[in-house]
Amino acid sequence: MSQTSGLRPAMQRSGRKTNGHNRGDRRAIIDIGSNTVRLVVFGGALRAPRVIHNEKVTARLGSELEETGRIGAESWDMALAGLRRFVMLLEELETSDVETVATAAVRDAANGPEFAAAVRELGLDLRVLTGEQEAQASAVGVSGAFPGAEGVALDLGGGSLEIVEINADGIKHGVSLPLGTLRLPAIRASGEKALAKRLRQLLAASGYKLPEGRPLYLVGGALRAFGRYVMLQTDTPLDDAHGFEFSAKAGLKHARTLSGTSVSDLSEISAITSSRLAMLPDAAALLEVLFKDLDPARIVISAWGLREGLLFGRLEDTRQAQDPLIAGVSDFTQDLAGSLRMATMVAGWSSQLRGRFHPGDERVRVSAILLSFASQTLEPNLRRKQVLDWALHKRWIALSAEQRGMLGAALLAQTGKLSLPSALTLIASDEALKEAQVWGLATRLCRRFAGCSIGSIVHSKLLIEDDMLTLRIDEELSPLRNAGTDKDLANLAAALGVNSRIEMVEDNEA
């Protein structure tokens, strides 16, 4: 990855030991949007970055664009005050790898160039993105979060709407339209059908034809809030909207409901912030039109968008090709216990048991093993609750709802718990959960037999043939065998519906 230093000398304060220094692998994005000005500092795995610091200033730079075409004085001052704070925070956080971008409000405002100059005077290397660049960055973020994704990315910001086609090879075609959440109220106020008319006029002028029948990925705070609203109308036990999927029929139904709802009627929804609730009716009205015209195959919520796309776009091809789930879990567990190498060895040791009930996914199985290692650092009375939290509520990238269920079942099984909570049975099939329990019980056997040590893995084998599960152990490891080994093997065999036995063999014959 090429490292960019977005902090120029004007930013630095004399005498500070942190000047020009970047701590570890920290990267920061300052996103000067039409509604908010946001600083996000990322750390952790480059392929699956985790947020270290995230804050915003709701400056509403684009709030007067429809009326005056300019950034208002109050918004101007609020944004610059926030940026001055960000500059100092970045010094305190020892982060000099900073990328600063501005989007529709600065791009479209008559006084946008003057505002950009004021930002640069703070020592920030500001880049004002074109509509095409903004659309592409957002779509790259979606591609990074959903490897191999094909469909349409829809990013609704404060000042603009980006519509971009994506496939496994990258970004195909897209358009940026001046239809952000700050512009929608004025458009809707001019008539019931005004929004649909404006959208179609803008599309006609751009020459862009909406692709129909494709998966649709929703990006941006207002659209994530819409996804969260849909989640709340279901019985899902999940609470992170990222990766949540629903049908076009359900999307249209909820969009129609919300578009005719007043903000005051939504005030009791505590799971969505008041600032997002205020945008929901107008955003839903736009989505109602788009859902009708796009007729998507399915709708998916993406927490990754422009900021993550900027980071992902900087990675080398080999880094981009890494699996984001494995990268994220490896980073999360590295200071707790185990290693990816060891998890891979355990996966290989138990590989003959794969796919007995469900095809599964090897990356999810390896992730479950890594998290099983990490769970051993937890107090026993907290372990089951915590691993279920990890499976259901922690943000993992490229993990479906059913895969979350499998992760949860595997992690509970490795603690010895086979009764499944309803939170898992709601999101995964019986076959998938049975498969995952086999993963967990195999990991439990390996761990309790000899701590998943390299020697025990090399000098033992787990085999299954017909209706017999066999643990073959070299004689030199015979002192490690105890009643717990026999019990764990029997429990694993029962989950597989077979019998079990342990064979002691001459050294190096296992």
Side-chain angles (χ1 to χ4, degrees):
M1 182 189 76
S2 61
Q3 180 158 311
T4 63
S5 179
L7 311 184
R8 297 190 284 111
M11 177 179 173
Q12 299 175 4
R13 290 180 283 146
S14 61
R16 296 292 295 170
K17 290 192 291 185
T18 58
N19 283 352
H21 176 62
N22 196 71
R23 181 176 172 181
D25 57 0
R26 289 188 177 179
R27 297 89 71 201
I29 301 289
I30 296 177
D31 176 7
I32 303 175
S34 301
N35 190 47
T36 63
V37 178
R38 188 181 291 271
L39 165 67
V40 184
V41 180
F42 296 91
L46 296 174
R47 181 61 183 88
R50 53 184 164 83
V51 173
I52 292 173
H53 184 86
N54 184 349
E55 70 171 83
K56 68 180 179 181
V57 177
T58 307
R60 293 171 59 86
L61 289 173
S63 61
E64 298 182 20
L65 286 182
E66 281 294 303
E67 294 181 9
T68 68
R70 299 174 63 82
I71 295 172
E74 184 177 349
S75 295
W76 178 300
D77 292 343
M78 188 180 297
L80 288 181
L83 288 166
R84 290 188 192 96
R85 170 179 162 79
F86 293 170
V87 164
M88 186 169 290
L89 271 174
L90 288 166
E91 277 199 83
E92 299 301 326
L93 295 172
E94 301 182 56
T95 305
S96 61
D97 183 352
V98 182
E99 187 167 4
T100 305
V101 296
T103 55
V106 179
R107 178 172 69 237
D108 297 342
N111 57 347
E114 290 83 0
F115 180 83
V119 172
R120 294 185 181 109
E121 286 177 5
L122 299 176
L124 295 168
D125 288 329
L126 174 65
R127 181 161 60 108
V128 180
L129 301 179
T130 66
E132 181 180 1
Q133 288 170 333
E134 182 179 356
Q136 287 185 343
S138 179
V140 168
V142 172
S143 295
F146 301 93
E150 297 197 12
V152 180
L154 198 70
D155 186 353
L156 179 61
S160 61
L161 170 69
E162 278 67 50
I163 307 172
V164 190
E165 296 173 58
I166 56 176
N167 64 17
D169 298 324
I171 312 306
K172 290 180 62 179
H173 184 51
V175 65
S176 179
L177 305 175
L179 283 175
T181 55
L182 294 176
R183 304 181 195 251
L184 296 179
I187 298 172
R188 292 188 74 199
S190 62
E192 183 180 348
K193 298 182 179 180
L195 184 54
K197 182 178 179 181
R198 174 72 71 88
L199 172 63
R200 287 157 187 159
Q201 285 175 339
L202 291 169
L203 286 171
S206 71
Y208 182 74
K209 186 178 185 303
L210 288 176
E212 298 178 17
R214 311 279 297 283
L216 184 62
Y217 295 86
L218 303 187
V219 183
L223 300 191
R224 281 197 304 277
F226 177 79
R228 187 75 180 101
Y229 174 85
V230 177
M231 289 181 79
L232 294 172
Q233 313 310 308
T234 72
D235 56 0
T236 179
L238 306 179
D239 53 19
D240 182 7
H242 177 75
F244 179 65
E245 293 189 16
F246 50 98
S247 67
K249 181 179 179 180
L252 185 57
K253 171 189 170 184
H254 292 301
R256 282 175 175 158
T257 299
L258 280 172
S259 65
T261 303
S262 68
V263 175
S264 60
D265 290 337
L266 301 173
S267 60
E268 293 184 3
I269 302 177
S270 59
I272 303 174
T273 65
S274 58
S275 60
R276 297 300 187 205
L277 286 173
M279 301 175 186
L280 265 184
D282 292 326
L286 179 61
L287 286 176
E288 184 180 356
V289 179
L290 287 165
F291 290 164
K292 289 177 182 176
D293 290 355
L294 287 165
D295 187 25
R298 68 181 189 279
I299 301 166
V300 186
I301 305 299
S302 175
W304 278 30
L306 183 144
R307 291 181 291 274
E308 293 78 12
L310 292 172
L311 287 180
F312 185 70
R314 288 167 50 184
L315 299 181
E316 298 170 353
D317 290 348
T318 53
R319 186 79 72 174
Q320 288 188 357
Q322 290 179 342
D323 182 80
L325 175 62
I326 294 291
V329 173
S330 297
D331 176 69
F332 176 69
T333 58
Q334 67 178 349
D335 294 329
L336 297 174
S339 67
L340 179 57
R341 175 172 173 263
M342 182 58 65
T344 304
M345 289 184 69
V346 174
W349 181 79
S350 57
S351 61
Q352 282 204 12
L353 312 185
R354 288 180 303 175
R356 302 285 291 189
F357 301 109
H358 184 277
D361 188 322
E362 191 66 3
R363 41 195 284 284
V364 181
R365 190 166 77 101
V366 171
S367 296
I369 295 169
L370 269 171
L371 290 168
S372 295
F373 294 161
S375 73
Q376 297 309 300
T377 66
L378 302 171
E379 291 87 344
N381 60 307
L382 299 177
R383 192 170 293 146
R384 289 176 178 172
K385 179 180 183 299
Q386 188 63 68
V387 296
L388 196 59
D389 254 4
W390 288 347
L392 293 178
H393 305 305
K394 183 165 175 54
R395 177 167 296 168
W396 304 115
I397 302 302
L399 190 68
S400 69
E402 179 163 82
Q403 289 169 339
R404 282 186 178 273
M406 295 182 77
L407 191 61
L411 291 173
L412 287 177
Q414 63 88 27
T415 72
K417 180 178 174 61
L418 295 180
S419 58
L420 293 169
S422 60
L424 301 184
T425 59
L426 282 170
I427 58 177
S429 68
D430 290 346
E431 293 76 17
L433 294 173
K434 285 181 183 178
E435 178 73 16
Q437 286 183 321
V438 169
W439 302 347
L441 289 171
T443 303
R444 179 179 174 83
L445 170 63
C446 182
R447 173 174 54 78
R448 282 162 45 98
F449 169 53
C452 290
S453 65
I454 293 176
S456 66
I457 292 174
V458 171
H459 293 283
S460 67
K461 282 185 180 178
L462 193 58
L463 311 169
I464 189 165
E465 187 174 5
D466 297 328
D467 63 347
M468 183 62 67
L469 176 67
T470 302
L471 176 59
R472 187 173 295 162
I473 306 171
D474 280 0
E475 285 283 0
E476 67 178 57
L477 299 184
S478 60
L480 292 174
R481 179 183 176 182
N482 61 12
T485 308
D486 291 55
K487 180 180 177 182
D488 290 338
L489 183 66
N491 287 339
L492 177 57
L496 289 163
V498 298
N499 299 311
S500 65
R501 68 184 177 189
I502 292 180
E503 286 184 357
M504 307 304 297
V505 298
E506 293 294 328
D507 293 352
N508 299 317
E509 291 185 6

